[in-house]
Amino acid sequence: MAAAGEAIAYPFEAYDGMRVTAQRSGLGEGEPLVRVRLPFGGDGWLARRYTDVRQVLTDPRFSRQAAFGRDVPRAHPLIRDEPGTMDLDPPEHTRLRRLVSMAFSTARVERIRPQVQRIIDEFLDGILAAGAPADLMETVCWPFSVAVICDVLGIPPHRRSRLRGLIDVSVGRDAFPPDEIRQARLDLRDGVAALVTERQERLDDDIISALIRARFDDDRLTAQELVELSLGILMAGLETPANQLGNFVYTLLTHPDELAKLRDRPELIGSAVEELTRHVPIGASANHPRIALEDMEFGGVLIRAGDAVFVDFIAANRDPRVFADPDLFDITREVNPHVGYGHGVHRCLGARLAQMELQVAVSTVVRRLPGLRLAVEPDDVPWKMGRVFRGPSLLTVTWDSAGHC
């Protein structure tokens, strides 16, 4: 069993586009958890091996809820005093997840697939009419993501631009002053609370209405739980898909053989999105620490009660013990048990929606923009910095003017 060594500064280095370098260094056989020093204070452990990451996410001896209200260690400038509804531990989390899972059932997600298709087609109609080149982030990725999640939740169009701006600030790590991030989160919560109040007076076929209707004996949602759940779905369903759509298109454009494969065999879109989810390093660093509830030997080191353990999804998805040739981007990869949506009880609730949304968007962009290519050199694409998620700040593309459908 390894002893605690000197803590290493984490994140190991500023990220550089889609490159993965030091974040997965040292993934040799038998590597223990590594001690890391967090950017906003304190030390913790970092799990990078696939098996260690999955175990941290499922072992009840690690608590996500216990991480709230702690000054250190922190990967974010703000101390979150109270956990969100999806940050709770079982059994409270189990009740809430059961209620929300109904809103993200496979049947419900498939029912809105035609609606998602219409949305992406409308934005592509717009850029095709305007002509090349175009910034795909501002003309397609962001407005598409906003429209989908707001339609799904039942948020009216006139409220959407303000919510997007508040979310952009609220997920900042050091791109904005802490007080500005804190205020954006308060304003965002107030805005969602107002939306929930409005929806309670006029139920419709949307997720907020479904949550209001959801009842399991005495397991009723409180007003605060309803707001927190709606807020969490909005933030996750807007920020992540928008960035991922840009990341996915960039990755395909910088791997022309895989892009050609997808053009020739559009039926590969399911496995392509799963491989993109595995391969693309969406997180700028590890977040959401788990707190050890007791002393234990874990991952080759001695973990003490109260220690914080972070998980590195990027490294886990590149673990050579699980993924053959892990750095290779291969849309035909057959064995792909990635943890791109997390794992265990806190696995992303909207994973089914995200998979469908990205399948529809990526396949439509590839089909309707023939000869799609970057209008600048790959290294000249600018990336957002100081955020929780990585993604292009500008993705200028061009395409062949004739032959689109």
Side-chain angles (χ1 to χ4, degrees):
M1 180 167 50
E6 182 178 352
I8 306 168
Y10 184 83
F12 302 127
E13 59 186 21
Y15 71 80
D16 182 12
M18 288 289 100
R19 293 183 179 88
V20 176
T21 54
Q23 278 203 332
R24 63 174 301 267
S25 65
L27 274 173
E29 191 67 37
E31 179 212 26
L33 273 65
V34 64
R35 192 76 175 164
V36 292
R37 183 171 64 255
L38 278 299
F40 299 99
D43 294 352
W45 297 99
L46 181 67
R48 292 181 288 177
R49 293 183 300 193
Y50 181 88
T51 55
D52 291 341
V53 165
R54 282 171 59 101
Q55 188 171 346
V56 170
L57 298 177
T58 55
D59 193 322
R61 296 175 298 173
F62 293 106
S63 167
R64 179 159 162 171
Q65 184 173 342
F68 290 84
R70 292 167 57 109
D71 182 27
V72 291
R74 284 189 289 124
H76 195 276
L78 296 184
I79 299 173
R80 288 184 61 186
D81 294 327
E82 297 291 337
T85 49
M86 287 295 99
D87 296 309
L88 300 173
D89 295 332
E92 292 87 353
H93 178 271
T94 307
R95 173 180 67 89
L96 295 169
R97 188 176 182 92
R98 185 171 65 241
L99 290 168
V100 179
S101 294
M102 295 176 58
F104 288 102
S105 67
T106 300
R108 185 183 186 92
V109 167
E110 285 306 308
R111 192 164 70 246
I112 66 173
R113 185 183 286 265
Q115 177 184 351
V116 173
Q117 183 67 63
R118 286 194 297 272
I119 292 171
I120 190 66
D121 279 329
E122 287 175 5
F123 289 116
L124 287 173
D125 287 345
I127 69 167
L128 284 167
D135 170 18
L136 210 65
M137 295 305 298
E138 197 58 34
T139 59
V140 176
C141 300
W142 280 106
F144 168 72
S145 181
V146 170
V148 170
I149 195 59
C150 288
D151 278 4
V152 165
L153 283 168
I155 298 174
H158 68 276
R159 291 184 179 270
R160 297 178 181 182
S161 60
R162 173 165 168 75
L163 290 175
R164 175 191 163 182
L166 290 173
I167 289 174
D168 183 51
V169 176
S170 68
V171 298
R173 185 186 303 278
D174 48 22
F176 305 97
D179 286 346
E180 189 174 343
I181 297 174
R182 183 179 294 105
Q183 188 60 52
R185 291 184 173 183
L186 293 173
D187 292 345
L188 189 58
R189 181 172 285 102
D190 289 344
V192 171
L195 286 166
V196 169
T197 299
E198 292 174 8
R199 183 59 67 225
Q200 285 175 321
E201 298 172 357
R202 190 183 66 259
L203 297 181
D204 205 338
D205 185 26
D206 54 66
I207 285 182
I208 291 179
S209 296
L211 292 176
I212 293 171
R213 292 189 183 99
R215 295 292 183 266
F216 282 94
D217 299 326
D218 294 330
D219 288 342
R220 295 175 181 269
L221 285 173
T222 67
Q224 181 179 352
E225 288 171 340
L226 185 55
V227 170
E228 290 290 341
L229 284 171
S230 301
L231 176 58
I233 293 169
L234 173 63
M235 292 183 67
L238 193 157
E239 183 77 13
T240 309
N243 284 308
Q244 282 293 58
L245 181 53
N247 292 336
F248 285 10
V249 171
Y250 174 86
T251 300
L252 285 167
L253 295 183
T254 52
H255 292 81
D257 290 345
E258 297 305 295
L259 176 59
K261 199 182 298 181
L262 184 57
R263 284 196 178 114
D264 293 341
R265 299 173 59 191
E267 70 275 11
L268 289 175
I269 187 60
S271 64
V273 166
E274 293 310 295
E275 175 66 349
L276 284 160
T277 303
R278 180 197 72 86
H279 185 82
V280 166
I282 179 67
S285 73
N287 291 289
H288 302 306
R290 270 71 176 174
I291 305 301
L293 300 179
E294 60 185 63
D295 292 351
M296 69 185 86
E297 181 181 349
F298 184 90
V301 300
L302 176 63
I303 304 291
R304 297 289 189 184
D307 282 357
V309 180
F310 294 80
V311 296
D312 192 330
F313 291 109
I314 297 172
N317 281 334
R318 301 288 182 108
D319 191 332
R321 288 172 288 268
V322 178
F323 302 96
D325 204 353
D327 292 324
L328 177 68
F329 173 54
D330 177 11
I331 68 169
T332 63
R333 186 180 294 273
E334 295 182 358
V335 180
N336 197 355
H338 66 78
V339 288
Y341 296 109
H343 182 67
V345 298
H346 291 105
R347 185 177 188 270
C348 176
L349 276 166
R352 291 191 190 96
L353 175 61
Q355 288 167 325
M356 181 273 286
E357 186 178 345
L358 289 165
Q359 287 173 11
V360 170
V362 171
S363 61
T364 306
V365 166
V366 169
R367 172 173 56 83
R368 295 199 58 190
L369 298 179
L372 181 66
R373 56 198 180 273
L374 291 173
V376 298
E377 292 298 317
D379 288 344
D380 291 333
V381 171
W383 298 85
K384 297 193 306 180
M385 303 301 291
R387 306 302 212 284
V388 173
F389 304 111
R390 73 177 79 193
S393 58
L394 189 72
L395 189 61
T396 308
V397 298
T398 188
W399 57 89
D400 298 336
S401 59
H404 64 266
C405 58

